[in-house]
Amino acid sequence: KDLSLLQVQRGLYDGFQESRRQILLLKSDQKINWIGYAVGNHMAKDYQKCLHILDTFIKTLDKDKVWDYQDSEMFLYRNQILEESGDLMGALKDLDEIENDARDKQHIWFRRATIQAGMGDLASAEAGFRKLLEVNNENHAYHKGLQQAMGLVPDSEGKYTEMQIKTLSELYDGFKAKWKYCTYAKRFPLTFTHGDDFKARVDAYMRPKLRKGVPSLFRDLKALYGDKFKVSVIEEFVKAYYANLKSKRRFSEKDEPDSETPNVFVWVLYYLASHYEFLGQYEEALKLLDEGIAHTPTAIDLYVLKARAYKHLRDYQTAYEILNFARELDLADRYLNTKCVRYAFRAGKVQDAERIVKLFLRETDTLDSLFEMQAMWYEVSAGLCHFKQGNFGQALTKFYSVEKHFEDISEDQFDFHTWCLRKSTLRAYVDMLKYQEVLRGHRFFKKAANNIIKVYTTIFDKPQKTADGSGEDGDVDMEKLTPKERRALKKRQKRLAAKAKKKQEAEEAKKKAAKDAEDAQKGTASAQSEAAKASTLKESIPDGKKYAESPDPLGQATKMVKELQLYAAKDIDTHIAAFEVYIRKKRCLLSLQALKKALKIYATTPPRDKKYKHIPTHTTTSSNKTPNPTLHCHIVLLSKTLREEKELDPLVVKICALETKAISEFPVGSKSLTEFNDEFLKANSSSLKHRVAAARCRKLLGADDDKAAAAIVDDKLADVAADLDSCVEAYEFLKGLKLPDKAESLRSIFHKKYPITPDFKPPASKKDS
């Protein structure tokens, strides 16, 4: 039995199936053993055997018994097996047989309608989804099912035909008249209507929300911002609201003067400021926010949005100060507390962040209690702050804490295996088992793992740095050392690391002995218990300093790479991180493999501004897509390594040469890398981000500073498309070159474009601020 639990915990379903079979043979009179064997066959995808086991067990039940919840769940689970096995007709008939006795009626209706749609019986499916909407008219899955059954789904580009638009309009106008308070019936038509119809609908949709003061209205309508026409219409309406409310307290000239309350003006201001902030028009947004704060100084949402605008302008200090002021307006708001902590870390205010987060802890709790609470948002924010400040040990402590939480979450499921089988919550149990397989694909794990890799590659590039960011070897440029000197330096650093580790272990043993002696002198059992609990918690927190002093940082980074490749294989960042590690290890085949996967993901993912992540996209394989600047740099680096590195195995070089011939993004034939990079620059000279990538490649290929800077700064720079992040990247790159005049000239240009951003302020202004 213990073996079977261990097998299902580890995802070894073939072994779990066999173990449950042997348990069933020994004790066939227990229901849990039949259920366990059925689940084992299900997870091993042996659907027929699973159904046979369930049917055999069902025959032993009393036919006249009134089903309880557990019986209902078992029969619904059996129906799920039928559907997954592909027997849709059998699943449909089974639903008819169990409907009267099953408890979850809505689930049966939904599965029936879904199966009917899958089988092509669209009329029956439509009737089923309409029946479900009578029960819950706000369920999006029911609406989507109805649209699919009626053939009202968009094409591969997300567009509807005129006939579909007409039918959908009539359908949802009917729903709106029938269900007065159904939000979906009012909101969904905004996605497919155009022209005057859209104008009338969006006007009618926004006004009641603004009257009620719904702060989430902008977030609700943000999905429409992929359509330029709809953005212009919304902006036109909201600007008209603003002008009319400011002058006559009404939405339009057709309304009676003073027909709206003063609060409506504040929420129109908030929406319009959100609109401008989202579009990158920060100065307009800040002017409106200042006006709104002057009108209603206690409106906390205005301060939060103002802080967000400063954050996007990279003025993290001002953003933190504004949000902290908003937090002090409502000290009982946990959301504001959490948000303020994150802003404090972003501004580098570690002590302030720790002080603020303690406000919602118990008086007896320390910051270590956040580890016990698995507050991953806090650990990721703190880790990024420490990493930015060069405190690699503390950064790794936070990032590895997140990794430890996912390990604990997985282990905590161990106790549920027997409980779920005994209670027969089989559908939820199977969902849990499937989620266990993708648990580490969660965004917090991916953030932590990617940053662990970045810390280790930084430590490898600057091996003289210790966990605290200090070192004894001075600023050694590894690129200028010979291979022999590098090996000697690494050996020396390994000896120093081992010596420091031994010294640290001795100090920790001494501290532990002193603490044990102190605990022994405490008079009460409760005090000893609290001390033991705190000590256990402290020991369970990962020691980032030890990780940072690892003699093999790339080995540690490789472990995280393998985790990401297993659980986040569809993320381009996973393969970029893998390349960063493998190219440093001179593992060219693995580097090429990672680069090929990254290129494939990029080619099948449409270009998208990071602000539009919420907008649905459709797969594309366009060969005219703009090259990814990061991947271009990696292509140049790998090609340079293959051409110039003398220690590589000739067979590896030959295999890589054969593979790269089939990849269009790589240089063709005997073309020099300098020529290849110049062609990339010429083809993408209208993008500052691509210019910076070309400049980095020029520097990598041995060009002087003037030649590298010429890729960024030229007569056409004013016409180049550049967002704030690209401007900062370009300026930081030029500052790293020995060209102070050009860097200052570039700073002046960017300061005119982004006057609030601290990165571009004159040195005297930075000092004063």
Side-chain angles (χ1 to χ4, degrees):
K1 184 178 178 180
D2 292 339
L3 175 62
S4 69
L5 295 176
L6 195 58
Q7 287 168 329
V8 72
Q9 175 72 15
R10 300 292 296 173
L12 306 173
Y13 298 122
D14 290 333
F16 173 67
Q17 175 191 22
E18 176 60 23
S19 297
R20 296 307 309 191
R21 186 185 71 84
Q22 294 182 18
I23 293 172
L24 178 61
L25 291 175
L26 292 173
K27 295 184 178 180
S28 59
D29 58 334
Q30 295 185 6
K31 175 183 176 181
I32 187 174
N33 295 334
W34 289 89
I35 299 297
Y37 187 35
V39 170
N41 283 279
H42 178 200
M43 298 308 297
K45 299 189 184 304
D46 192 345
Y47 301 114
Q48 296 306 317
K49 186 180 287 187
C50 177
L51 289 169
H52 175 69
I53 295 161
L54 288 174
D55 290 339
T56 303
F57 174 70
I58 289 171
K59 290 178 182 177
T60 66
L61 300 178
D62 184 2
K63 295 182 180 180
D64 298 328
K65 177 187 175 184
V66 177
W67 287 7
D68 57 16
Y69 175 79
Q70 294 184 14
D71 295 327
S72 173
E73 280 295 303
M74 185 174 65
F75 280 94
L76 289 173
Y77 174 66
R78 180 183 179 279
N79 185 266
Q80 179 180 329
I81 304 299
L82 284 168
E83 187 177 347
E84 289 185 18
S85 68
D87 185 7
L88 298 183
M89 183 59 73
L92 200 59
K93 290 180 179 178
D94 184 63
L95 286 173
D96 294 335
E97 293 174 4
I98 67 175
E99 181 174 5
N100 292 332
D101 296 317
R103 298 294 182 88
D104 194 346
K105 302 294 185 185
Q106 279 184 244
H107 175 78
I108 288 180
W109 300 341
F110 180 69
R111 293 317 313 159
R112 178 186 287 122
T114 303
I115 292 171
Q116 287 169 339
M119 293 175 63
D121 188 0
L122 300 181
S124 299
E126 179 184 344
F129 283 116
R130 286 182 180 274
K131 180 180 178 181
L132 285 163
L133 286 172
E134 293 291 342
V135 178
N136 183 356
N137 55 45
E138 293 287 5
N139 190 306
H140 289 205
Y142 300 165
H143 283 282
K144 296 296 182 186
L146 177 61
Q147 293 159 25
Q148 183 180 2
M150 297 179 68
L152 303 175
V153 293
D155 59 19
S156 58
E157 296 181 357
K159 296 179 180 178
Y160 294 88
T161 65
E162 290 299 323
M163 182 60 68
Q164 286 178 322
I165 292 174
K166 181 180 178 181
T167 306
L168 281 169
S169 298
E170 293 173 354
L171 175 68
Y172 280 93
D173 284 343
F175 285 162
K176 187 167 63 173
K178 184 177 183 180
W179 302 313
K180 182 179 178 181
Y181 298 104
C182 179
T183 303
Y184 189 93
K186 302 170 187 175
R187 171 64 182 83
F188 178 65
L190 300 181
T191 62
F192 61 80
T193 52
H194 295 281
D196 293 337
D197 189 17
F198 174 78
K199 290 181 180 181
R201 290 178 184 275
V202 77
D203 183 29
Y205 185 78
M206 287 194 296
R207 288 195 187 194
K209 302 279 187 182
L210 293 169
R211 286 193 184 100
K212 292 180 179 179
V214 179
S216 60
L217 176 61
F218 176 76
R219 186 174 292 274
D220 180 16
L221 296 180
K222 193 162 64 172
L224 303 175
Y225 276 54
D227 188 323
K228 292 182 180 179
F229 168 76
K230 293 182 179 180
V231 173
S232 63
V233 168
I234 292 172
E235 181 176 329
E236 181 183 344
F237 271 119
V238 180
K239 287 172 72 174
Y241 297 160
Y242 167 75
N244 286 305
L245 285 165
K246 190 174 183 178
S247 59
K248 296 291 181 73
R249 268 188 24 213
R250 59 185 180 182
F251 276 113
S252 69
E253 295 179 357
K254 297 179 182 179
D255 300 329
E256 291 292 328
D258 299 328
S259 58
E260 305 296 338
T261 63
N263 286 339
V264 178
F265 179 65
V266 176
W267 294 112
V268 169
L269 268 173
Y270 179 76
Y271 187 96
L272 191 56
S274 299
H275 168 85
Y276 283 132
E277 194 275 335
F278 181 77
L279 297 178
Q281 300 176 30
Y282 299 111
E283 293 185 18
E284 290 291 332
L286 290 172
K287 287 179 183 177
L288 289 168
L289 289 168
D290 287 338
E291 182 181 354
I293 290 170
H295 182 278
T296 310
T298 56
I300 293 176
D301 294 279
L302 297 175
Y303 294 99
V304 174
L305 180 57
K306 187 176 181 180
R308 186 185 305 139
Y310 275 101
K311 179 192 75 172
H312 290 157
L313 285 166
R314 296 177 61 88
D315 191 349
Y316 302 127
Q317 175 64 34
T318 304
Y320 161 65
E321 291 172 357
I322 293 170
L323 195 61
N324 190 49
F325 180 81
R327 179 188 66 82
E328 291 174 346
L329 291 176
D330 186 359
L331 296 174
D333 192 320
R334 189 181 290 271
Y335 167 78
L336 288 176
N337 182 276
T338 299
K339 202 77 174 172
C340 192
V341 170
R342 296 176 66 181
Y343 273 60
F345 276 128
R346 197 175 281 113
K349 303 286 187 179
V350 177
Q351 293 182 349
D352 285 0
E354 293 175 348
R355 172 182 57 81
I356 294 168
V357 79
K358 281 183 178 179
L359 296 176
F360 278 84
L361 298 178
R362 292 175 300 183
E363 293 183 1
T364 56
D365 285 343
T366 63
L367 288 174
D368 291 342
S369 301
L370 292 167
F371 175 84
E372 192 175 25
M373 298 175 191
Q374 298 181 342
M376 289 183 270
W377 64 268
Y378 173 84
E379 288 158 344
V380 169
S381 299
L384 288 170
C385 179
H386 289 305
F387 182 28
K388 186 178 179 181
Q389 294 177 347
N391 301 324
F392 301 142
Q394 295 182 55
L396 287 175
T397 295
K398 299 302 181 184
F399 293 140
Y400 270 110
S401 293
V402 175
E403 195 261 349
K404 180 72 166 56
H405 294 329
F406 281 90
E407 183 182 333
D408 292 341
I409 290 169
S410 181
E411 290 179 357
D412 288 344
Q413 308 310 310
F414 189 83
D415 296 331
F416 286 92
H417 296 301
T418 303
W419 187 90
C420 290
L421 293 175
R422 189 173 69 250
K423 292 295 183 181
S424 299
T425 54
L426 302 178
R427 289 181 296 155
Y429 177 54
V430 170
D431 288 343
M432 185 195 80
L433 293 178
K434 291 178 179 178
Y435 184 67
Q436 284 284 91
E437 299 173 3
V438 296
L439 175 63
R440 285 176 171 80
H442 192 278
R443 61 189 178 91
F444 276 134
F445 182 86
K446 290 189 288 188
K447 277 185 180 180
N450 275 299
N451 281 294
I452 287 172
I453 293 169
K454 288 178 182 178
V455 172
Y456 278 127
T457 53
T458 304
I459 291 173
F460 177 80
D461 293 339
K462 300 178 180 179
Q464 73 280 1
K465 297 289 185 182
T466 66
D468 297 323
S470 60
E472 300 177 7
D473 293 319
D475 293 329
V476 181
D477 190 346
M478 294 293 287
E479 296 295 329
K480 295 181 180 179
L481 298 181
T482 64
K484 186 176 179 180
E485 289 172 332
R486 290 183 191 178
R487 289 193 294 270
L489 179 61
K490 288 180 181 178
K491 286 181 180 179
R492 178 171 181 271
Q493 288 164 348
K494 284 183 180 180
R495 289 196 302 271
L496 291 174
K499 185 177 179 181
K501 183 179 179 182
K502 188 175 180 180
K503 183 178 179 181
Q504 182 185 355
E505 289 175 351
E507 290 177 354
E508 288 178 354
K510 188 176 179 181
K511 288 179 181 178
K512 189 174 183 303
K515 188 167 180 59
D516 290 342
E518 181 182 349
D519 291 342
Q521 293 176 358
K522 290 186 177 180
T524 62
S526 61
Q528 292 180 5
S529 176
E530 287 292 330
K533 183 179 178 182
S535 177
T536 303
L537 178 60
K538 194 79 174 176
E539 291 173 1
S540 62
I541 299 175
D543 187 349
K545 190 174 181 181
K546 287 183 179 180
Y547 283 110
E549 292 173 349
S550 170
D552 184 17
L554 292 184
Q556 296 292 337
T558 303
K559 295 177 183 178
M560 285 294 109
V561 165
K562 290 179 178 178
E563 289 282 309
L564 287 173
Q565 288 175 329
L566 184 61
Y567 296 106
K570 294 182 180 179
D571 285 7
I572 192 171
D573 292 338
T574 294
H575 305 294
I576 290 176
F579 178 89
E580 295 282 1
V581 173
Y582 290 131
I583 198 65
R584 285 170 170 80
K585 298 176 77 173
K586 306 299 181 186
R587 303 289 296 275
C588 292
L589 284 175
L590 291 173
S591 299
L592 179 58
Q593 182 189 58
L595 199 50
K596 284 180 67 177
K597 290 180 179 178
L599 287 167
K600 183 178 179 180
I601 292 172
Y602 182 71
T604 55
T605 305
R608 180 193 305 180
D609 188 281
K610 65 181 180 180
K611 283 190 173 185
Y612 293 86
K613 290 181 179 179
H614 56 278
I615 298 174
T617 55
H618 305 274
T619 301
T620 178
T621 54
S622 173
S623 59
N624 298 322
K625 190 173 181 180
T626 305
N628 184 303
T630 302
L631 296 182
H632 170 74
C633 291
H634 289 347
I635 288 170
V636 172
L637 177 57
L638 179 58
S639 300
K640 180 177 184 293
T641 303
L642 290 170
R643 294 184 183 188
E644 299 178 4
E645 189 66 44
K646 304 300 183 183
E647 297 181 1
L648 293 179
D649 188 332
L651 182 60
V652 170
V653 177
K654 185 177 180 180
I655 294 172
C656 289
L658 291 172
E659 286 289 327
T660 54
K661 283 182 181 179
I663 304 174
S664 60
E665 290 85 355
F666 273 77
V668 180
S670 58
K671 182 184 292 184
S672 71
L673 294 178
T674 300
E675 184 182 357
F676 171 71
N677 186 54
D678 289 344
E679 289 178 357
F680 169 85
L681 175 61
K682 184 178 179 180
N684 302 281
S685 59
S686 60
S687 166
L688 182 59
K689 187 175 284 290
H690 290 78
R691 284 184 173 222
V692 175
R696 292 187 187 280
C697 290
R698 281 185 175 181
K699 195 65 183 169
L700 175 67
L701 297 172
D704 58 27
D705 289 350
D706 285 315
K707 182 74 172 174
I712 299 176
V713 183
D714 61 15
D715 297 336
K716 299 180 180 179
L717 181 61
D719 301 325
V720 171
D723 58 13
L724 178 55
D725 290 339
S726 299
C727 293
V728 172
E729 185 182 3
Y731 177 53
E732 291 296 329
F733 176 75
L734 274 190
K735 281 204 305 183
L737 304 179
K738 298 177 181 179
L739 300 169
D741 293 339
K742 286 191 175 182
E744 177 59 23
S745 174
L746 194 66
R747 184 206 62 75
S748 178
I749 293 171
F750 291 155
H751 179 58
K752 291 178 182 178
K753 189 174 183 180
Y754 298 104
I756 298 176
T757 303
D759 302 76
F760 306 136
K761 287 183 179 180
S765 299
K766 288 183 183 179
K767 188 175 181 181
D768 293 340
S769 60

